[in-house]
Amino acid sequence: MWLLRLNMNISTEVRRSYELRPYPVVGKRIWNQPRWRLPPPKWIEAMWQRVRVPERILVAGCGTGMEAFAIARRFKHSEVVGVDFSPRSIAIARHLQKRQAGLRHVRFVVGDITTRHLVNTVGNDFDLISCHGVLSYIPQTRRAFDNFARCLTPHGALYLGVNGVRHFSATWRPALAKLGFQLAEFEDGKELRQALRLCEALDSHNAPRIANRGAEYLAGDLFGPLIHNWPLARWMSLAQSAGLHFLGSYYAHRALRPIFKDDLYRQLLPRSRAETHMFVELLSPSRFHSLLFVTQPRPNPPWQNASALLRWRARSTDLYTCRWPKRRRLWRKLRRVQLKSVSTNTVVDLSVPEWELEILRQADGKQTLEQLLAGLGKRVPANVVRDRVYSHYLLVSVNLVSAD
Ligand SMILES: C[S@@+](CC[C@H](N)C(=O)[O-])C[C@H]1O[C@@H](n2cnc3c(N)ncnc32)[C@H](O)[C@@H]1O
């Protein structure tokens, strides 16, 4: 009972703080060009493997609406619902919506994402839920996950932006406490700004520039009654308890980029994408997680049984573009190709045999790897195919679907 009361007190404090300082503060420049807060759409699409445009999208903890506006501009034919428990934030969001054209498909509602009534407030059947910068600051995270799972369609996805163990507040809060500042209550002033400059100067982990940030940012991201700076495993386990399945982390996806140079990726076999991303977190914990979860489990292709793998269908994703070299039937020669992904700022230089190029060119999700190779009239040992396809699976240049 006392825990429930404590949680309610914290929740009231959080709401009071956002009522006082709605987030984000909206300047004209910001609402004209709202920032895209999710990982690049092409990465989400490639990971999620959804073919149709999401019909309904929920922005959970939408604040003054910037995240919802950015999503609505991208998904012009989806219905977008923004929910926040701060009536003042929702009032600002509605006001801004009226001042912009092309946002009729957005609806803002006041509601608490941790109450059982959330479904009644926002409805269900959401194909996508976006929750950015919210769950790190609320006490009843488990309830929010349960609600998200309830609100999603059977093939829905949840994007979650939450703090990691290396979030700057993990070290700055104890440091500020040592300097005599009360963390539960934000009070701006010269003293505080000097203390923040001191933290910035002494922080050896290249902390982002904080000392000049606005009061609304500091009040939520550094001060306040609680901040969860949790490792990936903790966020995953909360989502799993609600029946959601971890697909991947955008931070880990990018951190994997160096392993394709010297074939280091082979060391990670037979791990799924999700498992490799968990491995990355062990060595390189993130400051901020950008995570993707889905309602249906995604089977890991049979990497340990290369012949069984050949019976899986391969589909190239749209994450990369490639200028294909001219076709030559020189099977022994390695060809140089460059996979480019503008959205993830990635360039991968590969030296690959012609049969691998053909797989990449022709993988349309209809043919199995076996059929693709048979069409070439080329015999390649199954484990050699497995290794190369695994690199593309980790790069998210190719997806694999069971033919059953
Ligand atoms: C840091 S802001 C993020 C706003 C928005 N997601 C963005 O990134 O621009 C956090 C928002 O979550 C809202 N929030 C916190 N706890 C909530 C809850 N239990 N239910 C609904 N909204 C909540 C706050 O009112 C605040 O507007």
Side-chain angles (χ1 to χ4, degrees):
M1 194 63 194
W2 66 267
L3 186 63
L4 188 67
R5 202 166 300 136
L6 177 70
N7 283 343
M8 279 173 65
N9 287 345
I10 293 176
S11 195
T12 310
E13 273 306 298
V14 174
R15 190 199 310 239
R16 199 177 58 83
S17 165
Y18 284 109
E19 276 293 277
L20 203 61
R21 299 183 189 85
Y23 186 94
V25 161
V26 190
K28 191 165 167 42
R29 207 158 40 96
I30 302 182
W31 67 257
N32 271 339
Q33 287 171 322
R35 226 179 98 203
W36 180 260
R37 313 300 298 269
L38 282 65
K42 277 191 192 274
W43 182 80
I44 295 181
E45 279 155 21
M47 293 286 289
W48 187 9
Q49 298 181 47
R50 188 184 166 85
V51 197
R52 282 180 298 121
V53 172
E55 277 174 32
R56 274 166 55 77
I57 303 173
L58 177 68
V59 182
C62 62
T64 53
M66 293 308 109
E67 189 186 342
F69 295 146
I71 289 175
R73 295 239 176 269
R74 166 90 201 178
F75 296 102
K76 291 190 167 56
H77 302 289
S78 310
E79 180 192 347
V80 179
V81 179
V83 62
D84 201 289
F85 71 174
S86 151
R88 193 163 162 225
S89 302
I90 290 294
I92 294 173
R94 285 181 181 147
H95 173 71
L96 292 171
Q97 183 185 11
K98 280 192 202 130
R99 291 171 62 187
Q100 300 173 73
L103 291 175
R104 282 177 168 226
H105 54 305
V106 189
R107 185 163 61 91
F108 288 106
V109 288
V110 176
D112 187 331
I113 59 169
T114 62
T115 62
R116 281 211 135 262
H117 317 291
L118 183 72
V119 175
N120 303 340
T121 316
V122 296
N124 56 3
D125 280 350
F126 287 99
D127 299 307
L128 177 64
I129 297 180
S130 171
C131 185
H132 181 99
V134 182
L135 295 196
S136 299
Y137 310 105
I138 68 173
Q140 292 129 326
T141 39
R142 173 66 205 270
R143 286 201 194 174
F145 276 108
D146 286 342
N147 274 335
F148 294 161
R150 250 179 246 136
C151 289
L152 281 169
T153 57
H155 294 282
L158 164 69
Y159 156 71
L160 192 66
V162 280
N163 293 0
V165 289
R166 288 214 176 140
H167 191 264
F168 76 95
S169 65
T171 47
W172 287 38
R173 276 169 76 90
L176 288 171
K178 280 260 185 278
L179 293 174
F181 290 92
Q182 297 294 326
L183 293 165
E185 195 62 45
F186 174 71
E187 256 191 65
D188 211 348
K190 221 170 163 187
E191 283 286 298
L192 173 66
R193 296 291 170 166
Q194 275 300 84
L196 295 179
R197 271 182 212 111
L198 174 71
C199 293
E200 231 171 60
L202 294 177
D203 187 325
S204 56
H205 289 288
N206 296 324
R209 295 257 157 256
I210 301 295
N212 293 331
R213 297 292 298 255
E216 77 295 341
Y217 175 82
L218 296 173
D221 282 50
L222 183 55
F223 285 78
L226 99 168
I227 300 189
H228 306 306
N229 295 319
W230 286 340
L232 174 59
R234 180 103 185 245
W235 291 112
M236 273 177 59
S237 110
L238 275 163
Q240 253 158 20
S241 329
L244 296 170
H245 304 271
F246 177 57
L247 258 196
S249 144
Y250 183 58
Y251 168 82
H253 167 81
R254 283 167 54 86
L256 281 175
R257 288 179 297 184
I259 68 168
F260 300 99
K261 249 192 207 141
D262 302 317
D263 290 352
L264 295 175
Y265 68 86
R266 284 206 181 100
Q267 303 292 315
L268 293 172
L269 269 164
R271 290 172 182 80
S272 67
R273 275 182 196 142
E275 287 162 342
T276 60
H277 291 188
M278 285 150 66
F279 182 79
V280 169
E281 172 81 3
L282 286 179
L283 287 163
S284 178
S286 78
R287 280 186 197 156
F288 190 79
H289 306 285
S290 294
L291 310 176
L292 210 52
F293 297 91
V294 280
T295 36
Q296 297 285 329
R298 208 47 77 70
N300 189 18
W303 303 111
Q304 276 162 315
N305 182 347
S307 330
L309 180 76
L310 293 187
R311 294 193 289 278
W312 280 51
R313 287 180 281 134
R315 179 184 287 130
S316 289
T317 70
D318 290 333
L319 187 55
Y320 299 89
T321 53
C322 179
R323 194 172 290 162
W324 301 109
K326 268 204 177 133
R327 280 190 165 100
R328 286 201 213 136
R329 298 243 147 189
L330 300 171
W331 298 115
R332 284 175 184 277
K333 220 168 170 244
L334 293 181
R335 314 289 304 272
R336 296 183 76 83
V337 284
Q338 200 171 62
L339 298 185
K340 259 192 198 166
S341 167
V342 176
S343 57
T344 63
N345 195 16
T346 303
V347 175
V348 191
D349 288 306
L350 298 172
S351 264
V352 297
E354 190 79 33
W355 60 263
E356 185 176 328
L357 279 182
E358 277 306 306
I359 288 184
L360 293 177
R361 280 193 188 108
Q362 294 185 32
D364 58 2
K366 291 186 184 131
Q367 298 187 73
T368 62
L369 289 166
E370 211 163 38
Q371 288 165 336
L372 286 168
L373 287 164
L376 300 177
K378 168 80 186 132
R379 278 183 70 87
V380 187
N383 57 346
V384 175
V385 178
R386 185 264 321 270
D387 286 9
R388 293 304 307 156
V389 170
Y390 186 62
S391 72
H392 290 289
Y393 164 81
L394 289 189
L395 277 166
V396 197
S397 48
V398 164
N399 278 320
L400 291 153
V401 187
S402 165
D404 302 334

